[in-house]
Amino acid sequence: KNAPAIVFIDELDAVGAQRSGHGFNREQDQTLNQLLVELDGFEGARQVVVMGASNRIQDLDVALLRPGRFDRQMLVPPPDLEGREAILKVHTRGKPLASNVNLGIVAKQTSGLTGAELANICNEAAIFAGRREDQFVTQMDFDAALERVVAGLQQKKVLTEKERRILSYHEGGHALMAHLMGSAMELQKVTIVARGDALGYAFYLPEEDRYLHTKEELIDRMVVALAGRAAEEVVFGRVTTGAANDLEKVTEIARSMVFEWGMADGVSSRTMRADNYALSEETKRLRDSEQARFTDSAYEDAVRLLKKHRAMLDKIATLLLEKETLGRDEVVELFAGVEPESRASDMVGMPRVVAATTPELPF
């Protein structure tokens, strides 16, 4: 009736999910059937274009994706560096920015974030400026907003002196190991102040977008992530539950190296992504042992390097106990005389918050 027209269906998976075939949801199946009929009915009216959007394309019914229906798929990934800067300019229109604000720097610091997250950062920065009763939004406000969006809301948690000391060595271990691994990530802050679900964290931001990573780079990432737990063992002779988040990330990396990327020794790359039922018991055992070997080796490296640089570990832990938070300039100055010992020539882009310590310290 309104042709020429575009029909846009957002959240297409809500009505286009795969049919069960068991009659458990007949209303949804009938809705999908009618949609399929209407799509075929548009064939005669070539001035009508039908578009849909979904974050769960794998859940769509195969009939929806056949030629003549939704047969062309376009991936919309998170914006690149140029796109992020353009988005930031859009969301700062009407906001009074101070002369020291550099949106190009903010764009570099927000690799992997979506447009909605960038908009949230701009709004949070304006809120920080408003709380200070400042008429301009400064670069400091954007830094605080980025930390707020990525790491969560700052929390008031009362820790015992023993917990604070353990936490200082844990987060100091992450920061020191990131330097030793020659991280291409910029350490923005290391703190023992709780934020979100974390009691403390080392906060990293990437210098550039990265898409390809070497085996050595991934191992370095695991060493950095395990450095907090290793620092607890080196200093106190025992470990706490504070490394739960770190262990989760290390397990994910090691599993992907073996099961997805074919980086394990002694296991054919042809079996990497095969289903378990298609593999022999020996191959399954080899895959599990290689995953364990990666994580155990990374932990041993972390312990060895922290023992070697124990004096520097003590120094950063003492500073964290005293100041609670160390900024990038303070950390750079502290590690100025320590040479990196990375096995990788160029560190992989790391998660934005690789060292978030969980709050289940059992004391």
Side-chain angles (χ1 to χ4, degrees):
K1 180 179 178 180
N2 293 287
I6 297 174
V7 178
F8 182 82
I9 307 174
D10 200 7
E11 304 296 349
L12 181 60
D13 50 272
V15 293
Q18 295 181 14
R19 289 166 287 188
S20 63
H22 301 296
F24 295 138
N25 197 343
R26 295 186 60 85
E27 291 79 7
Q28 182 173 337
D29 290 351
Q30 290 172 1
T31 302
L32 175 58
N33 290 337
Q34 186 62 33
L35 176 61
L36 296 175
V37 171
E38 296 295 341
L39 287 172
D40 290 334
F42 288 145
E43 190 64 31
R46 297 191 180 275
Q47 289 184 307
V48 176
V49 177
V50 186
M51 302 173 63
S54 174
N55 288 320
R56 300 167 56 188
I57 193 170
Q58 72 278 1
D59 294 335
L60 295 180
D61 195 277
V62 292
L64 268 180
L65 306 179
R66 288 175 183 160
R69 292 168 180 166
F70 292 102
D71 49 6
R72 176 173 294 185
Q73 300 171 17
M74 293 172 287
L75 174 66
V76 183
D80 58 12
L81 177 60
E82 183 179 353
R84 292 194 299 275
E85 185 171 359
I87 292 172
L88 288 168
K89 289 179 179 178
V90 169
H91 291 294
T92 52
R93 289 175 185 168
K95 293 182 174 65
L97 302 183
S99 58
N100 68 340
V101 172
N102 188 330
L103 295 180
I105 293 178
V106 179
K108 288 182 178 180
Q109 294 175 333
T110 51
S111 176
L113 297 191
T114 63
E117 290 169 320
L118 294 173
N120 194 18
I121 287 174
C122 295
N123 290 333
E124 287 290 340
I127 290 173
F128 279 114
R131 287 174 179 167
R132 291 198 329 272
E133 297 184 354
D134 195 332
Q135 57 181 320
F136 294 104
V137 182
T138 67
Q139 191 72 36
M140 179 182 66
D141 295 320
F142 277 97
D143 293 340
L146 178 58
E147 188 176 7
R148 166 71 176 84
V149 170
V150 173
L153 182 66
Q154 185 170 318
Q155 303 286 340
K156 291 183 179 180
K157 296 180 180 178
V158 180
L159 303 179
T160 67
E161 221 26 63
K162 184 177 181 180
E163 289 174 331
R164 291 182 73 252
R165 188 161 181 262
I166 293 174
L167 198 57
S168 297
Y169 274 99
H170 185 110
E171 300 306 336
H174 284 303
L176 175 56
M177 194 59 62
H179 173 77
L180 292 174
M181 293 297 100
S183 173
M185 303 288 293
E186 288 192 15
L187 178 63
Q188 303 295 311
K189 176 187 292 188
V190 55
T191 181
I192 59 172
V193 177
R195 184 178 285 272
D197 292 331
L199 289 178
Y201 56 93
F203 183 58
Y204 304 86
L205 290 173
E207 290 182 341
E208 58 184 4
D209 295 336
R210 290 289 303 275
Y211 303 100
L212 297 175
H213 312 305
T214 67
K215 177 180 178 179
E216 290 74 20
E217 291 170 343
L218 294 168
I219 292 174
D220 282 354
R221 283 182 61 181
M222 290 194 291
V223 175
V224 174
L226 289 170
R229 184 184 180 91
E232 294 176 8
E233 180 176 322
V234 168
V235 177
F236 304 102
R238 63 187 67 182
V239 296
T240 70
T241 57
N245 181 262
D246 304 328
L247 295 175
E248 181 181 345
K249 294 180 184 301
V250 168
T251 301
E252 181 182 350
I253 294 172
R255 178 178 174 81
S256 295
M257 290 174 69
V258 176
F259 286 67
E260 301 288 334
W261 303 323
M263 294 179 174
D265 298 330
V267 183
S268 171
S269 60
R270 294 190 298 274
T271 67
M272 289 303 100
R273 303 196 67 171
D275 294 329
N276 278 334
Y277 67 82
L279 300 175
S280 67
E281 292 301 318
E282 176 64 14
T283 300
K284 294 177 186 178
R285 186 191 65 79
L286 284 174
R287 295 203 308 184
D288 290 340
S289 65
E290 282 296 294
Q291 181 177 339
R293 185 177 66 84
F294 279 135
T295 55
D296 292 345
S297 176
Y299 187 72
E300 290 169 3
D301 282 348
V303 171
R304 174 181 59 83
L305 289 171
L306 289 175
K307 286 181 177 179
K308 179 179 178 180
H309 298 276
R310 174 62 189 273
M312 184 56 66
L313 178 61
D314 291 337
K315 185 178 292 187
I316 188 173
T318 301
L319 282 174
L320 281 172
L321 277 172
E322 177 186 341
K323 297 184 175 182
E324 291 192 335
T325 298
L326 297 177
R328 179 175 178 273
D329 294 339
E330 293 173 291
V331 174
V332 169
E333 182 179 353
L334 181 64
F335 295 152
V338 181
E339 289 295 325
E341 300 192 26
S342 171
R343 72 184 71 205
S345 59
D346 184 24
M347 183 65 173
V348 71
M350 292 171 55
R352 293 184 198 88
V353 182
V354 302
T357 305
T358 53
E360 297 86 359
L361 284 170
F363 298 106

